[in-house]
mmCIF file with all atom_site columns, all heavy atoms in Angstrom:
data_model
loop_
_atom_site.group_PDB
_atom_site.id
_atom_site.type_symbol
_atom_site.label_atom_id
_atom_site.label_alt_id
_atom_site.label_comp_id
_atom_site.label_asym_id
_atom_site.label_entity_id
_atom_site.label_seq_id
_atom_site.pdbx_PDB_ins_code
_atom_site.Cartn_x
_atom_site.Cartn_y
_atom_site.Cartn_z
_atom_site.occupancy
_atom_site.B_iso_or_equiv
_atom_site.pdbx_formal_charge
_atom_site.auth_seq_id
_atom_site.auth_comp_id
_atom_site.auth_asym_id
_atom_site.auth_atom_id
_atom_site.pdbx_PDB_model_num
ATOM 1   N N   . GLY A 1 1  ? 14.738 -48.057 8.213  1.00 49.00 ? 1  GLY A N   1
ATOM 2   C CA  . GLY A 1 1  ? 13.856 -47.075 8.843  1.00 49.00 ? 1  GLY A CA  1
ATOM 3   C C   . GLY A 1 1  ? 14.591 -45.948 9.525  1.00 49.00 ? 1  GLY A C   1
ATOM 4   O O   . GLY A 1 1  ? 13.964 -45.044 10.067 1.00 49.00 ? 1  GLY A O   1
ATOM 5   N N   . GLY A 1 2  ? 15.908 -45.994 9.529  1.00 47.00 ? 2  GLY A N   1
ATOM 6   C CA  . GLY A 1 2  ? 16.677 -44.912 10.130 1.00 47.00 ? 2  GLY A CA  1
ATOM 7   C C   . GLY A 1 2  ? 17.121 -45.192 11.548 1.00 47.00 ? 2  GLY A C   1
ATOM 8   O O   . GLY A 1 2  ? 17.756 -44.346 12.174 1.00 47.00 ? 2  GLY A O   1
ATOM 9   N N   . ASP A 1 3  ? 16.779 -46.378 12.109 1.00 47.00 ? 3  ASP A N   1
ATOM 10  C CA  . ASP A 1 3  ? 17.191 -46.708 13.464 1.00 47.00 ? 3  ASP A CA  1
ATOM 11  C C   . ASP A 1 3  ? 18.678 -47.040 13.483 1.00 47.00 ? 3  ASP A C   1
ATOM 12  O O   . ASP A 1 3  ? 19.195 -47.681 12.580 1.00 47.00 ? 3  ASP A O   1
ATOM 13  C CB  . ASP A 1 3  ? 16.399 -47.903 14.008 1.00 47.00 ? 3  ASP A CB  1
ATOM 14  C CG  . ASP A 1 3  ? 14.905 -47.583 14.072 1.00 47.00 ? 3  ASP A CG  1
ATOM 15  O OD1 . ASP A 1 3  ? 14.598 -46.396 14.308 1.00 47.00 ? 3  ASP A OD1 1
ATOM 16  O OD2 . ASP A 1 3  ? 14.091 -48.513 13.901 1.00 47.00 ? 3  ASP A OD2 1
ATOM 17  N N   . VAL A 1 4  ? 19.358 -46.622 14.531 1.00 45.00 ? 4  VAL A N   1
ATOM 18  C CA  . VAL A 1 4  ? 20.793 -46.837 14.657 1.00 45.00 ? 4  VAL A CA  1
ATOM 19  C C   . VAL A 1 4  ? 21.051 -47.971 15.621 1.00 45.00 ? 4  VAL A C   1
ATOM 20  O O   . VAL A 1 4  ? 20.518 -47.999 16.723 1.00 45.00 ? 4  VAL A O   1
ATOM 21  C CB  . VAL A 1 4  ? 21.502 -45.554 15.148 1.00 45.00 ? 4  VAL A CB  1
ATOM 22  C CG1 . VAL A 1 4  ? 22.991 -45.810 15.329 1.00 45.00 ? 4  VAL A CG1 1
ATOM 23  C CG2 . VAL A 1 4  ? 21.271 -44.422 14.161 1.00 45.00 ? 4  VAL A CG2 1
ATOM 24  N N   . VAL A 1 5  ? 21.864 -48.919 15.173 1.00 45.00 ? 5  VAL A N   1
ATOM 25  C CA  . VAL A 1 5  ? 22.245 -50.053 16.007 1.00 45.00 ? 5  VAL A CA  1
ATOM 26  C C   . VAL A 1 5  ? 23.757 -50.119 16.020 1.00 45.00 ? 5  VAL A C   1
ATOM 27  O O   . VAL A 1 5  ? 24.399 -49.883 15.000 1.00 45.00 ? 5  VAL A O   1
ATOM 28  C CB  . VAL A 1 5  ? 21.655 -51.372 15.459 1.00 45.00 ? 5  VAL A CB  1
ATOM 29  C CG1 . VAL A 1 5  ? 22.057 -52.534 16.352 1.00 45.00 ? 5  VAL A CG1 1
ATOM 30  C CG2 . VAL A 1 5  ? 20.151 -51.273 15.338 1.00 45.00 ? 5  VAL A CG2 1
ATOM 31  N N   . HIS A 1 6  ? 24.341 -50.447 17.170 1.00 44.00 ? 6  HIS A N   1
ATOM 32  C CA  . HIS A 1 6  ? 25.793 -50.514 17.289 1.00 44.00 ? 6  HIS A CA  1
ATOM 33  C C   . HIS A 1 6  ? 26.209 -51.973 17.330 1.00 44.00 ? 6  HIS A C   1
ATOM 34  O O   . HIS A 1 6  ? 25.773 -52.741 18.182 1.00 44.00 ? 6  HIS A O   1
ATOM 35  C CB  . HIS A 1 6  ? 26.248 -49.787 18.556 1.00 44.00 ? 6  HIS A CB  1
ATOM 36  C CG  . HIS A 1 6  ? 25.842 -48.353 18.569 1.00 44.00 ? 6  HIS A CG  1
ATOM 37  N ND1 . HIS A 1 6  ? 26.509 -47.367 17.879 1.00 44.00 ? 6  HIS A ND1 1
ATOM 38  C CD2 . HIS A 1 6  ? 24.788 -47.745 19.160 1.00 44.00 ? 6  HIS A CD2 1
ATOM 39  C CE1 . HIS A 1 6  ? 25.907 -46.217 18.062 1.00 44.00 ? 6  HIS A CE1 1
ATOM 40  N NE2 . HIS A 1 6  ? 24.863 -46.424 18.833 1.00 44.00 ? 6  HIS A NE2 1
ATOM 41  N N   . SER A 1 7  ? 27.036 -52.344 16.401 1.00 43.00 ? 7  SER A N   1
ATOM 42  C CA  . SER A 1 7  ? 27.440 -53.737 16.285 1.00 43.00 ? 7  SER A CA  1
ATOM 43  C C   . SER A 1 7  ? 28.478 -54.087 17.329 1.00 43.00 ? 7  SER A C   1
ATOM 44  O O   . SER A 1 7  ? 29.127 -53.224 17.898 1.00 43.00 ? 7  SER A O   1
ATOM 45  C CB  . SER A 1 7  ? 28.015 -53.988 14.890 1.00 43.00 ? 7  SER A CB  1
ATOM 46  O OG  . SER A 1 7  ? 29.202 -53.236 14.718 1.00 43.00 ? 7  SER A OG  1
ATOM 47  N N   . ALA A 1 8  ? 28.625 -55.403 17.581 1.00 41.00 ? 8  ALA A N   1
ATOM 48  C CA  . ALA A 1 8  ? 29.610 -55.856 18.561 1.00 41.00 ? 8  ALA A CA  1
ATOM 49  C C   . ALA A 1 8  ? 31.022 -55.592 18.076 1.00 41.00 ? 8  ALA A C   1
ATOM 50  O O   . ALA A 1 8  ? 31.946 -55.407 18.863 1.00 41.00 ? 8  ALA A O   1
ATOM 51  C CB  . ALA A 1 8  ? 29.411 -57.351 18.832 1.00 41.00 ? 8  ALA A CB  1
ATOM 52  N N   . ALA A 1 9  ? 31.218 -55.599 16.741 1.00 42.00 ? 9  ALA A N   1
ATOM 53  C CA  . ALA A 1 9  ? 32.559 -55.373 16.198 1.00 42.00 ? 9  ALA A CA  1
ATOM 54  C C   . ALA A 1 9  ? 33.043 -53.956 16.456 1.00 42.00 ? 9  ALA A C   1
ATOM 55  O O   . ALA A 1 9  ? 34.226 -53.708 16.619 1.00 42.00 ? 9  ALA A O   1
ATOM 56  C CB  . ALA A 1 9  ? 32.556 -55.658 14.691 1.00 42.00 ? 9  ALA A CB  1
ATOM 57  N N   . ALA A 1 10 ? 32.111 -53.022 16.479 1.00 42.00 ? 10 ALA A N   1
ATOM 58  C CA  . ALA A 1 10 ? 32.481 -51.638 16.752 1.00 42.00 ? 10 ALA A CA  1
ATOM 59  C C   . ALA A 1 10 ? 31.540 -51.120 17.826 1.00 42.00 ? 10 ALA A C   1
ATOM 60  O O   . ALA A 1 10 ? 30.488 -50.592 17.523 1.00 42.00 ? 10 ALA A O   1
ATOM 61  C CB  . ALA A 1 10 ? 32.370 -50.782 15.479 1.00 42.00 ? 10 ALA A CB  1
ATOM 62  N N   . PRO A 1 11 ? 31.850 -51.305 19.108 1.00 43.00 ? 11 PRO A N   1
ATOM 63  C CA  . PRO A 1 11 ? 30.954 -50.913 20.186 1.00 43.00 ? 11 PRO A CA  1
ATOM 64  C C   . PRO A 1 11 ? 30.730 -49.410 20.220 1.00 43.00 ? 11 PRO A C   1
ATOM 65  O O   . PRO A 1 11 ? 31.542 -48.631 19.736 1.00 43.00 ? 11 PRO A O   1
ATOM 66  C CB  . PRO A 1 11 ? 31.686 -51.397 21.445 1.00 43.00 ? 11 PRO A CB  1
ATOM 67  C CG  . PRO A 1 11 ? 33.120 -51.490 21.033 1.00 43.00 ? 11 PRO A CG  1
ATOM 68  C CD  . PRO A 1 11 ? 33.107 -51.869 19.592 1.00 43.00 ? 11 PRO A CD  1
ATOM 69  N N   . TYR A 1 12 ? 29.644 -49.071 20.870 1.00 42.00 ? 12 TYR A N   1
ATOM 70  C CA  . TYR A 1 12 ? 29.234 -47.678 20.965 1.00 42.00 ? 12 TYR A CA  1
ATOM 71  C C   . TYR A 1 12 ? 30.243 -46.866 21.766 1.00 42.00 ? 12 TYR A C   1
ATOM 72  O O   . TYR A 1 12 ? 30.609 -47.231 22.883 1.00 42.00 ? 12 TYR A O   1
ATOM 73  C CB  . TYR A 1 12 ? 27.865 -47.623 21.629 1.00 42.00 ? 12 TYR A CB  1
ATOM 74  C CG  . TYR A 1 12 ? 27.384 -46.229 21.937 1.00 42.00 ? 12 TYR A CG  1
ATOM 75  C CD1 . TYR A 1 12 ? 27.323 -45.253 20.950 1.00 42.00 ? 12 TYR A CD1 1
ATOM 76  C CD2 . TYR A 1 12 ? 26.964 -45.907 23.229 1.00 42.00 ? 12 TYR A CD2 1
ATOM 77  C CE1 . TYR A 1 12 ? 26.866 -43.992 21.236 1.00 42.00 ? 12 TYR A CE1 1
ATOM 78  C CE2 . TYR A 1 12 ? 26.506 -44.657 23.516 1.00 42.00 ? 12 TYR A CE2 1
ATOM 79  C CZ  . TYR A 1 12 ? 26.459 -43.696 22.529 1.00 42.00 ? 12 TYR A CZ  1
ATOM 80  O OH  . TYR A 1 12 ? 26.003 -42.455 22.822 1.00 42.00 ? 12 TYR A OH  1
ATOM 81  N N   . ASP A 1 13 ? 30.699 -45.782 21.200 1.00 46.00 ? 13 ASP A N   1
ATOM 82  C CA  . ASP A 1 13 ? 31.659 -44.912 21.865 1.00 46.00 ? 13 ASP A CA  1
ATOM 83  C C   . ASP A 1 13 ? 30.901 -43.751 22.490 1.00 46.00 ? 13 ASP A C   1
ATOM 84  O O   . ASP A 1 13 ? 30.634 -42.748 21.845 1.00 46.00 ? 13 ASP A O   1
ATOM 85  C CB  . ASP A 1 13 ? 32.695 -44.407 20.852 1.00 46.00 ? 13 ASP A CB  1
ATOM 86  C CG  . ASP A 1 13 ? 33.822 -43.629 21.537 1.00 46.00 ? 13 ASP A CG  1
ATOM 87  O OD1 . ASP A 1 13 ? 33.772 -43.524 22.779 1.00 46.00 ? 13 ASP A OD1 1
ATOM 88  O OD2 . ASP A 1 13 ? 34.720 -43.154 20.832 1.00 46.00 ? 13 ASP A OD2 1
ATOM 89  N N   . ALA A 1 14 ? 30.558 -43.900 23.777 1.00 43.00 ? 14 ALA A N   1
ATOM 90  C CA  . ALA A 1 14 ? 29.778 -42.863 24.445 1.00 43.00 ? 14 ALA A CA  1
ATOM 91  C C   . ALA A 1 14 ? 30.573 -41.582 24.597 1.00 43.00 ? 14 ALA A C   1
ATOM 92  O O   . ALA A 1 14 ? 30.029 -40.488 24.564 1.00 43.00 ? 14 ALA A O   1
ATOM 93  C CB  . ALA A 1 14 ? 29.324 -43.362 25.820 1.00 43.00 ? 14 ALA A CB  1
ATOM 94  N N   . ALA A 1 15 ? 31.886 -41.709 24.765 1.00 43.00 ? 15 ALA A N   1
ATOM 95  C CA  . ALA A 1 15 ? 32.710 -40.516 24.947 1.00 43.00 ? 15 ALA A CA  1
ATOM 96  C C   . ALA A 1 15 ? 32.694 -39.636 23.708 1.00 43.00 ? 15 ALA A C   1
ATOM 97  O O   . ALA A 1 15 ? 32.693 -38.418 23.786 1.00 43.00 ? 15 ALA A O   1
ATOM 98  C CB  . ALA A 1 15 ? 34.143 -40.930 25.288 1.00 43.00 ? 15 ALA A CB  1
ATOM 99  N N   . ALA A 1 16 ? 32.663 -40.291 22.525 1.00 42.00 ? 16 ALA A N   1
ATOM 100 C CA  . ALA A 1 16 ? 32.641 -39.511 21.288 1.00 42.00 ? 16 ALA A CA  1
ATOM 101 C C   . ALA A 1 16 ? 31.328 -38.758 21.151 1.00 42.00 ? 16 ALA A C   1
ATOM 102 O O   . ALA A 1 16 ? 31.300 -37.599 20.748 1.00 42.00 ? 16 ALA A O   1
ATOM 103 C CB  . ALA A 1 16 ? 32.845 -40.439 20.085 1.00 42.00 ? 16 ALA A CB  1
ATOM 104 N N   . ASP A 1 17 ? 30.205 -39.420 21.483 1.00 45.00 ? 17 ASP A N   1
ATOM 105 C CA  . ASP A 1 17 ? 28.908 -38.758 21.402 1.00 45.00 ? 17 ASP A CA  1
ATOM 106 C C   . ASP A 1 17 ? 28.773 -37.650 22.435 1.00 45.00 ? 17 ASP A C   1
ATOM 107 O O   . ASP A 1 17 ? 27.993 -36.725 22.269 1.00 45.00 ? 17 ASP A O   1
ATOM 108 C CB  . ASP A 1 17 ? 27.771 -39.777 21.602 1.00 45.00 ? 17 ASP A CB  1
ATOM 109 C CG  . ASP A 1 17 ? 27.458 -40.517 20.313 1.00 45.00 ? 17 ASP A CG  1
ATOM 110 O OD1 . ASP A 1 17 ? 28.158 -40.249 19.315 1.00 45.00 ? 17 ASP A OD1 1
ATOM 111 O OD2 . ASP A 1 17 ? 26.538 -41.354 20.307 1.00 45.00 ? 17 ASP A OD2 1
ATOM 112 N N   . ALA A 1 18 ? 29.513 -37.742 23.524 1.00 42.00 ? 18 ALA A N   1
ATOM 113 C CA  . ALA A 1 18 ? 29.418 -36.731 24.576 1.00 42.00 ? 18 ALA A CA  1
ATOM 114 C C   . ALA A 1 18 ? 30.400 -35.591 24.346 1.00 42.00 ? 18 ALA A C   1
ATOM 115 O O   . ALA A 1 18 ? 30.651 -34.799 25.238 1.00 42.00 ? 18 ALA A O   1
ATOM 116 C CB  . ALA A 1 18 ? 29.681 -37.375 25.931 1.00 42.00 ? 18 ALA A CB  1
ATOM 117 N N   . GLY A 1 19 ? 30.975 -35.522 23.165 1.00 43.00 ? 19 GLY A N   1
ATOM 118 C CA  . GLY A 1 19 ? 31.881 -34.432 22.851 1.00 43.00 ? 19 GLY A CA  1
ATOM 119 C C   . GLY A 1 19 ? 33.240 -34.602 23.489 1.00 43.00 ? 19 GLY A C   1
ATOM 120 O O   . GLY A 1 19 ? 33.893 -33.633 23.850 1.00 43.00 ? 19 GLY A O   1
ATOM 121 N N   . GLY A 1 20 ? 33.689 -35.863 23.661 1.00 45.00 ? 20 GLY A N   1
ATOM 122 C CA  . GLY A 1 20 ? 35.007 -36.099 24.237 1.00 45.00 ? 20 GLY A CA  1
ATOM 123 C C   . GLY A 1 20 ? 34.996 -36.332 25.730 1.00 45.00 ? 20 GLY A C   1
ATOM 124 O O   . GLY A 1 20 ? 36.049 -36.507 26.327 1.00 45.00 ? 20 GLY A O   1
ATOM 125 N N   . LEU A 1 21 ? 33.832 -36.317 26.368 1.00 47.00 ? 21 LEU A N   1
ATOM 126 C CA  . LEU A 1 21 ? 33.753 -36.564 27.800 1.00 47.00 ? 21 LEU A CA  1
ATOM 127 C C   . LEU A 1 21 ? 34.124 -38.007 28.085 1.00 47.00 ? 21 LEU A C   1
ATOM 128 O O   . LEU A 1 21 ? 33.493 -38.933 27.586 1.00 47.00 ? 21 LEU A O   1
ATOM 129 C CB  . LEU A 1 21 ? 32.328 -36.284 28.300 1.00 47.00 ? 21 LEU A CB  1
ATOM 130 C CG  . LEU A 1 21 ? 32.094 -36.409 29.807 1.00 47.00 ? 21 LEU A CG  1
ATOM 131 C CD1 . LEU A 1 21 ? 32.869 -35.333 30.543 1.00 47.00 ? 21 LEU A CD1 1
ATOM 132 C CD2 . LEU A 1 21 ? 30.608 -36.296 30.113 1.00 47.00 ? 21 LEU A CD2 1
ATOM 133 N N   . SER A 1 22 ? 35.163 -38.224 28.876 1.00 61.00 ? 22 SER A N   1
ATOM 134 C CA  . SER A 1 22 ? 35.665 -39.577 29.126 1.00 61.00 ? 22 SER A CA  1
ATOM 135 C C   . SER A 1 22 ? 35.395 -40.060 30.541 1.00 61.00 ? 22 SER A C   1
ATOM 136 O O   . SER A 1 22 ? 35.901 -41.090 30.932 1.00 61.00 ? 22 SER A O   1
ATOM 137 C CB  . SER A 1 22 ? 37.174 -39.626 28.862 1.00 61.00 ? 22 SER A CB  1
ATOM 138 O OG  . SER A 1 22 ? 37.849 -38.697 29.688 1.00 61.00 ? 22 SER A OG  1
ATOM 139 N N   . PHE A 1 23 ? 34.642 -39.309 31.317 1.00 65.00 ? 23 PHE A N   1
ATOM 140 C CA  . PHE A 1 23 ? 34.293 -39.760 32.655 1.00 65.00 ? 23 PHE A CA  1
ATOM 141 C C   . PHE A 1 23 ? 32.828 -39.409 32.927 1.00 65.00 ? 23 PHE A C   1
ATOM 142 O O   . PHE A 1 23 ? 32.282 -38.450 32.381 1.00 65.00 ? 23 PHE A O   1
ATOM 143 C CB  . PHE A 1 23 ? 35.202 -39.118 33.714 1.00 65.00 ? 23 PHE A CB  1
ATOM 144 C CG  . PHE A 1 23 ? 35.034 -37.618 33.826 1.00 65.00 ? 23 PHE A CG  1
ATOM 145 C CD1 . PHE A 1 23 ? 34.195 -37.074 34.772 1.00 65.00 ? 23 PHE A CD1 1
ATOM 146 C CD2 . PHE A 1 23 ? 35.732 -36.769 32.994 1.00 65.00 ? 23 PHE A CD2 1
ATOM 147 C CE1 . PHE A 1 23 ? 34.039 -35.702 34.881 1.00 65.00 ? 23 PHE A CE1 1
ATOM 148 C CE2 . PHE A 1 23 ? 35.583 -35.391 33.085 1.00 65.00 ? 23 PHE A CE2 1
ATOM 149 C CZ  . PHE A 1 23 ? 34.733 -34.864 34.039 1.00 65.00 ? 23 PHE A CZ  1
ATOM 150 N N   . TYR A 1 24 ? 32.223 -40.198 33.799 1.00 74.00 ? 24 TYR A N   1
ATOM 151 C CA  . TYR A 1 24 ? 30.806 -40.046 34.085 1.00 74.00 ? 24 TYR A CA  1
ATOM 152 C C   . TYR A 1 24 ? 30.611 -40.072 35.591 1.00 74.00 ? 24 TYR A C   1
ATOM 153 O O   . TYR A 1 24 ? 30.671 -41.137 36.212 1.00 74.00 ? 24 TYR A O   1
ATOM 154 C CB  . TYR A 1 24 ? 30.006 -41.160 33.399 1.00 74.00 ? 24 TYR A CB  1
ATOM 155 C CG  . TYR A 1 24 ? 30.209 -41.163 31.909 1.00 74.00 ? 24 TYR A CG  1
ATOM 156 C CD1 . TYR A 1 24 ? 31.221 -41.919 31.324 1.00 74.00 ? 24 TYR A CD1 1
ATOM 157 C CD2 . TYR A 1 24 ? 29.422 -40.357 31.094 1.00 74.00 ? 24 TYR A CD2 1
ATOM 158 C CE1 . TYR A 1 24 ? 31.437 -41.887 29.960 1.00 74.00 ? 24 TYR A CE1 1
ATOM 159 C CE2 . TYR A 1 24 ? 29.634 -40.320 29.729 1.00 74.00 ? 24 TYR A CE2 1
ATOM 160 C CZ  . TYR A 1 24 ? 30.639 -41.087 29.162 1.00 74.00 ? 24 TYR A CZ  1
ATOM 161 O OH  . TYR A 1 24 ? 30.863 -41.052 27.815 1.00 74.00 ? 24 TYR A OH  1
ATOM 162 N N   . PRO A 1 25 ? 30.417 -38.921 36.218 1.00 74.00 ? 25 PRO A N   1
ATOM 163 C CA  . PRO A 1 25 ? 30.353 -38.852 37.678 1.00 74.00 ? 25 PRO A CA  1
ATOM 164 C C   . PRO A 1 25 ? 29.237 -39.692 38.290 1.00 74.00 ? 25 PRO A C   1
ATOM 165 O O   . PRO A 1 25 ? 29.335 -40.087 39.451 1.00 74.00 ? 25 PRO A O   1
ATOM 166 C CB  . PRO A 1 25 ? 30.118 -37.353 37.943 1.00 74.00 ? 25 PRO A CB  1
ATOM 167 C CG  . PRO A 1 25 ? 30.605 -36.663 36.712 1.00 74.00 ? 25 PRO A CG  1
ATOM 168 C CD  . PRO A 1 25 ? 30.325 -37.593 35.585 1.00 74.00 ? 25 PRO A CD  1
ATOM 169 N N   . LEU A 1 26 ? 28.181 -39.968 37.532 1.00 79.00 ? 26 LEU A N   1
ATOM 170 C CA  . LEU A 1 26 ? 27.051 -40.709 38.085 1.00 79.00 ? 26 LEU A CA  1
ATOM 171 C C   . LEU A 1 26 ? 27.199 -42.221 37.930 1.00 79.00 ? 26 LEU A C   1
ATOM 172 O O   . LEU A 1 26 ? 26.328 -42.967 38.381 1.00 79.00 ? 26 LEU A O   1
ATOM 173 C CB  . LEU A 1 26 ? 25.752 -40.240 37.423 1.00 79.00 ? 26 LEU A CB  1
ATOM 174 C CG  . LEU A 1 26 ? 25.405 -38.760 37.613 1.00 79.00 ? 26 LEU A CG  1
ATOM 175 C CD1 . LEU A 1 26 ? 24.062 -38.434 36.978 1.00 79.00 ? 26 LEU A CD1 1
ATOM 176 C CD2 . LEU A 1 26 ? 25.388 -38.383 39.096 1.00 79.00 ? 26 LEU A CD2 1
#
């Protein structure tokens, strides 16, 4: 159906989706 799931073998890389942002002030 097009839903995206992130497997345990390859965890979700939030920094990559944020355009390289590697810190989160909040």
